[in-house]
Amino acid sequence: MKRGFSFSLPVTVVVSAIAFIYFCTVFIFIDRWFGLITSAGIMNAVAFTGVAFMCVSNYGFAIFADPGRVPSSFMPDIEDSKVPIHEIKRKGGDLRYCQKCSHFKPPRAHHCRVCKRCILRMDHHCIWINNCVGHTNYKVFFIFVLYAVIACIYSLVLLVGSLTNDSQNDEQQSADSYRIAYVISGLLLVPLSVALSVLLGWHVYLILQNKTTIEYHEGVRAMWLAEKGGNVYKHPYDLGAYENITTVITSNETARLLFLC
């Protein structure tokens, strides 16, 4: 299910930054280092355009894809012990019920105060996509971050190479006219490369553990309580690294995706 369009300042900032970095990379960095009419220039321009296209397309999917809504007809099967539906939210032992949405919540679903509804396998609400990251759009969100890291590092390498080439050719007057573009691009690319690389590493860790960001923070407290009681805490959805990757990234049967990923 697709979401409707609504204006978002953070999304506008991201789109503007992507457009600026793409223009500078292709028409300044590549052109001044290799020249756009050379084979090396064409190859780099095509390669960077491909990475940028994958980044933008997955970003768009992450924005407009519904993150996963809880079916209004969902009811927990309290008689089936094989289904991990007996997840307890309160000490009283009640099944997970959302007072705001007025329906039961499946395991790993959480209510988002911004979206004002329950999200399946909710990871977090991201202002940069103006959407929740959940069951349906987690994969495209992860791929977007991956391509964004590649694009930022690629652009940064081209920026440094272009500057080095200018200094070797001693084209000071020509370089001065592009100084603002170099400075702004550097101020964008360096922190973005670091921040996005950290974000990518974080989600690689979560995927290997089959956790969401919410579950990680809940698990820290659960681990502390388990150690306090002399027990060993184990994340209930951890199936092993390979199974975790295939469960989160690839498509599986609906029930397994709903309850185990």
Side-chain angles (χ1 to χ4, degrees):
M1 182 180 295
K2 294 184 178 180
R3 300 167 64 245
F5 174 80
S6 60
F7 175 78
S8 169
L9 181 59
V11 171
T12 303
V13 170
V14 172
V15 172
S16 300
I18 291 174
F20 178 81
I21 291 173
Y22 177 81
F23 177 86
C24 290
T25 301
V26 174
F27 297 103
I28 297 180
F29 308 155
I30 295 177
D31 186 35
R32 292 181 60 78
W33 189 1
F34 303 105
L36 285 176
I37 59 174
T38 65
S39 58
I42 293 173
M43 181 183 68
N44 278 280
V46 170
F48 186 79
T49 299
V51 173
F53 173 78
M54 292 300 296
C55 180
V56 171
S57 60
N58 280 281
Y59 182 63
F61 284 129
I63 292 173
F64 292 107
D66 190 293
R69 62 179 66 243
V70 178
S72 58
S73 59
F74 171 79
M75 286 294 294
D77 186 359
I78 59 175
E79 295 182 357
D80 189 355
S81 60
K82 294 181 180 180
V83 178
I85 196 63
H86 305 287
E87 185 172 330
I88 305 303
K89 184 176 182 181
R90 301 180 183 85
K91 293 182 179 179
D94 298 331
L95 291 172
R96 303 179 76 238
Y97 185 84
C98 181
Q99 299 289 344
K100 296 184 176 69
C101 296
S102 300
H103 60 59
F104 286 99
K105 292 191 293 185
R108 315 187 79 177
H110 296 272
H111 186 87
C112 176
R113 291 176 294 179
V114 180
C115 296
K116 297 181 179 178
R117 61 189 177 89
C118 290
I119 306 296
L120 292 172
R121 196 185 181 276
M122 179 177 173
D123 188 88
H124 68 288
H125 184 89
C126 179
I127 63 169
W128 301 108
I129 65 172
N130 192 32
N131 196 6
C132 273
V133 178
H135 165 69
T136 305
N137 65 348
Y138 183 85
K139 179 179 177 179
V140 292
F141 173 80
F142 176 79
I143 296 175
F144 157 67
V145 175
L146 174 62
Y147 276 106
V149 170
I150 296 173
C152 285
I153 294 176
Y154 193 176
S155 181
L156 196 56
V157 170
L158 291 171
L159 184 154
V160 173
S162 178
L163 282 174
T164 304
N165 184 66
D166 282 344
S167 63
Q168 289 177 347
N169 293 335
D170 196 25
E171 297 179 0
Q172 186 64 39
Q173 184 176 356
S174 178
D176 287 342
S177 61
Y178 295 102
R179 182 171 296 173
I180 295 177
Y182 280 116
V183 170
I184 296 176
S185 297
L187 291 175
L188 284 174
L189 288 171
V190 172
L192 278 176
S193 298
V194 174
L196 289 172
S197 296
V198 171
L199 181 63
L200 177 64
W202 169 248
H203 281 283
V204 168
Y205 165 78
L206 291 177
I207 289 173
L208 291 174
Q209 300 291 321
N210 197 0
K211 293 180 180 179
T212 64
T213 300
I214 294 175
E215 289 170 351
Y216 169 81
H217 292 292
E218 290 179 342
V220 171
R221 185 174 184 275
M223 185 180 299
W224 177 78
L225 291 173
E227 291 177 353
K228 188 177 179 181
N231 300 316
V232 177
Y233 172 78
K234 182 179 181 348
H235 181 57
Y237 302 102
D238 187 1
L239 306 174
Y242 177 77
E243 283 294 327
N244 290 340
I245 293 171
T246 56
T247 299
V248 176
I249 298 300
T250 62
S251 298
N252 293 292
E253 63 269 23
T254 304
R256 186 175 182 183
L257 277 172
L258 181 60
F259 297 117
L260 295 180
C261 71

XYZ file of all heavy atoms in Angstrom, residues 87 108 121 205-220 222-223 232-240 244 248 259-261:
296
model
N 3.260 -12.634 23.821
C 4.218 -11.617 24.241
C 3.561 -10.723 25.282
O 2.480 -10.190 25.068
C 4.666 -10.791 23.034
C 5.758 -9.786 23.362
C 6.289 -9.134 22.102
O 6.267 -9.782 21.048
O 6.710 -7.977 22.191
N 6.223 -7.691 17.990
C 7.149 -6.773 17.328
C 6.454 -5.559 16.709
O 7.109 -4.743 16.053
C 7.981 -7.501 16.269
C 8.534 -8.827 16.744
C 9.490 -9.451 15.767
N 10.808 -8.830 15.871
C 11.853 -9.230 15.159
N 11.732 -10.214 14.298
N 13.015 -8.632 15.309
N 6.608 -4.748 12.968
C 8.065 -4.803 13.091
C 8.678 -3.401 12.990
O 9.582 -3.146 12.213
C 8.683 -5.718 12.029
C 10.134 -6.106 12.350
C 10.767 -6.911 11.236
N 12.117 -7.287 11.576
C 13.198 -6.506 11.399
N 13.056 -5.317 10.866
N 14.404 -6.931 11.746
N 24.497 -4.744 12.035
C 24.494 -5.427 13.335
C 23.078 -5.884 13.703
O 22.880 -7.025 14.139
C 25.044 -4.502 14.409
C 24.745 -4.963 15.821
C 25.477 -5.988 16.411
C 23.709 -4.375 16.564
C 25.193 -6.418 17.700
C 23.422 -4.801 17.850
C 24.169 -5.821 18.409
O 23.878 -6.259 19.684
N 22.092 -5.005 13.514
C 20.712 -5.358 13.848
C 20.208 -6.520 12.996
O 19.514 -7.418 13.493
C 19.793 -4.148 13.660
C 19.967 -2.980 14.635
C 19.027 -1.841 14.262
C 19.727 -3.418 16.069
N 20.551 -6.507 11.703
C 20.111 -7.585 10.813
C 20.736 -8.914 11.234
O 20.069 -9.951 11.252
C 20.465 -7.252 9.351
C 19.572 -6.107 8.846
C 20.305 -8.475 8.449
C 19.957 -5.588 7.482
N 22.021 -8.894 11.576
C 22.695 -10.120 12.001
C 22.088 -10.679 13.285
O 22.130 -11.890 13.527
C 24.184 -9.859 12.205
C 24.993 -9.581 10.929
C 26.428 -9.197 11.289
C 24.982 -10.791 10.009
N 21.514 -9.794 14.112
C 20.882 -10.218 15.356
C 19.371 -10.392 15.205
O 18.713 -10.847 16.143
C 21.155 -9.176 16.452
C 22.626 -8.944 16.757
C 23.273 -10.131 17.426
O 22.667 -10.771 18.269
N 24.513 -10.431 17.057
N 18.825 -10.036 14.037
C 17.377 -10.035 13.802
C 16.659 -9.202 14.864
O 15.670 -9.638 15.466
C 16.814 -11.457 13.776
C 15.423 -11.513 13.129
O 14.883 -10.488 12.702
N 14.844 -12.692 13.069
N 17.166 -7.995 15.055
C 16.576 -7.068 16.013
C 16.139 -5.801 15.296
O 16.601 -5.483 14.202
C 17.586 -6.669 17.097
C 18.012 -7.766 18.036
C 19.001 -7.224 19.050
C 19.465 -8.310 20.025
N 20.459 -7.778 20.994
N 15.247 -5.078 15.925
C 14.943 -3.718 15.509
C 15.613 -2.774 16.502
O 16.095 -3.201 17.555
C 13.427 -3.459 15.504
O 12.937 -3.562 16.854
C 12.706 -4.473 14.630
N 15.641 -1.495 16.163
C 16.231 -0.518 17.081
C 15.477 -0.508 18.407
O 16.089 -0.423 19.478
C 16.205 0.883 16.447
O 16.960 0.861 15.230
C 16.814 1.916 17.379
N 14.160 -0.603 18.342
C 13.349 -0.641 19.560
C 13.684 -1.871 20.388
O 13.847 -1.803 21.615
C 11.846 -0.611 19.209
C 11.478 0.732 18.581
C 10.985 -0.860 20.450
C 10.045 0.811 18.082
N 13.797 -3.020 19.714
C 14.094 -4.262 20.428
C 15.481 -4.258 21.040
O 15.708 -4.882 22.079
C 13.932 -5.457 19.485
C 12.494 -5.743 19.126
C 12.352 -6.757 18.016
O 13.380 -7.121 17.410
O 11.206 -7.170 17.751
N 16.410 -3.559 20.397
C 17.756 -3.466 20.974
C 17.697 -2.776 22.335
O 18.271 -3.251 23.312
C 18.695 -2.700 20.044
C 20.010 -2.359 20.702
C 21.028 -3.305 20.795
C 20.228 -1.092 21.269
C 22.229 -3.003 21.422
C 21.417 -0.788 21.889
C 22.420 -1.744 21.962
O 23.599 -1.439 22.602
N 17.009 -1.639 22.385
C 16.921 -0.888 23.642
C 16.104 -1.661 24.682
O 16.434 -1.625 25.875
C 16.316 0.487 23.384
C 17.201 1.382 22.576
N 18.396 1.884 23.060
C 17.082 1.863 21.310
C 18.975 2.638 22.127
N 18.199 2.633 21.066
N 15.059 -2.357 24.233
C 14.307 -3.194 25.161
C 15.167 -4.359 25.659
O 15.065 -4.779 26.818
C 13.050 -3.730 24.481
C 12.003 -2.676 24.207
C 10.780 -3.244 23.497
O 10.882 -4.344 22.920
O 9.731 -2.571 23.503
N 16.026 -4.881 24.766
C 16.877 -6.008 25.129
C 17.937 -5.654 26.145
O 18.349 -6.509 26.939
N 18.406 -4.403 26.112
C 19.408 -3.971 27.105
C 18.832 -4.087 28.502
O 19.489 -4.601 29.428
C 19.861 -2.522 26.811
C 20.721 -1.991 27.955
C 20.624 -2.452 25.502
N 16.169 -5.938 29.342
C 15.845 -7.346 29.598
C 17.086 -8.131 29.998
O 17.030 -9.007 30.867
C 15.221 -7.963 28.349
N 18.228 -7.814 29.377
C 19.476 -8.487 29.720
C 19.890 -8.157 31.150
O 20.352 -9.020 31.896
C 20.573 -8.060 28.733
C 21.901 -8.798 28.911
S 23.133 -8.246 27.726
C 22.323 -8.697 26.179
N 20.266 -16.131 31.826
C 20.937 -15.689 30.610
C 19.880 -15.246 29.608
O 18.971 -16.019 29.274
C 21.803 -16.811 29.995
C 22.436 -16.334 28.691
C 22.872 -17.252 30.981
N 19.988 -14.004 29.142
C 19.000 -13.472 28.195
C 19.392 -13.829 26.762
O 20.552 -13.706 26.372
C 18.883 -11.956 28.328
C 18.017 -11.327 27.254
C 16.634 -11.396 27.326
C 18.598 -10.691 26.158
C 15.830 -10.832 26.335
C 17.806 -10.124 25.168
C 16.426 -10.205 25.262
O 15.646 -9.650 24.273
N 18.421 -14.248 25.973
C 18.627 -14.524 24.545
C 17.485 -13.883 23.765
O 16.321 -14.060 24.114
C 18.670 -16.033 24.285
C 18.945 -16.384 22.812
C 19.005 -17.874 22.616
C 19.302 -18.324 21.193
N 19.235 -17.390 20.139
N 17.859 -13.147 22.736
C 16.839 -12.501 21.914
C 15.951 -13.572 21.284
O 16.443 -14.491 20.605
C 17.514 -11.662 20.827
C 16.558 -10.931 19.951
N 15.607 -10.046 20.429
C 16.388 -10.945 18.602
C 14.906 -9.559 19.427
N 15.359 -10.082 18.306
N 14.635 -13.511 21.483
C 13.741 -14.606 21.046
C 13.652 -14.792 19.540
O 13.222 -15.853 19.081
C 12.387 -14.203 21.632
C 12.467 -12.730 21.833
C 13.892 -12.458 22.193
N 14.041 -13.798 18.749
C 13.911 -13.901 17.300
C 15.249 -14.162 16.604
O 15.327 -14.126 15.380
C 13.269 -12.635 16.733
C 11.912 -12.355 17.329
C 11.748 -11.393 18.319
C 10.792 -13.078 16.922
C 10.502 -11.163 18.883
C 9.541 -12.852 17.479
C 9.402 -11.883 18.454
O 8.174 -11.663 19.012
N 16.307 -14.382 17.375
C 17.629 -14.659 16.809
C 17.675 -16.094 16.308
O 17.631 -17.044 17.087
C 18.705 -14.424 17.872
C 20.109 -14.532 17.293
O 20.237 -14.768 16.075
O 21.078 -14.374 18.064
N 17.778 -16.263 14.974
C 17.784 -17.593 14.357
C 19.171 -18.012 13.886
O 19.313 -19.056 13.256
C 16.829 -17.610 13.155
C 15.390 -17.156 13.428
C 14.610 -17.097 12.125
C 14.717 -18.083 14.421
N 20.190 -17.192 14.168
C 21.513 -17.417 13.600
C 21.755 -16.428 12.481
O 20.814 -15.985 11.811
N 18.972 -15.049 9.950
C 18.551 -13.675 10.235
C 18.622 -12.815 8.983
O 17.717 -12.020 8.700
C 19.433 -13.067 11.328
C 19.187 -13.692 12.685
O 18.147 -14.297 12.921
N 20.141 -13.562 13.583
N 15.279 -11.224 7.158
C 15.056 -9.780 7.117
C 15.122 -9.236 5.695
O 14.286 -8.425 5.296
C 16.082 -9.055 8.016
C 15.926 -7.546 7.897
C 15.919 -9.486 9.465
N 5.667 -12.577 11.869
C 5.940 -12.885 13.260
C 7.406 -13.100 13.595
O 7.805 -13.015 14.739
C 5.152 -14.125 13.688
C 3.676 -13.922 13.627
C 2.891 -14.676 12.768
C 3.077 -12.954 14.403
C 1.526 -14.481 12.726
C 1.712 -12.738 14.343
C 0.937 -13.513 13.502
N 8.240 -13.387 12.598
C 9.637 -13.696 12.899
C 10.625 -12.760 12.243
O 11.824 -12.978 12.316
C 9.966 -15.139 12.460
C 9.230 -16.244 13.223
C 9.654 -17.601 12.679
C 9.551 -16.166 14.706
N 10.172 -11.715 11.574
C 11.132 -10.813 10.976
C 10.759 -9.380 11.285
O 9.750 -9.113 11.872
C 11.189 -11.020 9.466
S 9.737 -10.454 8.586
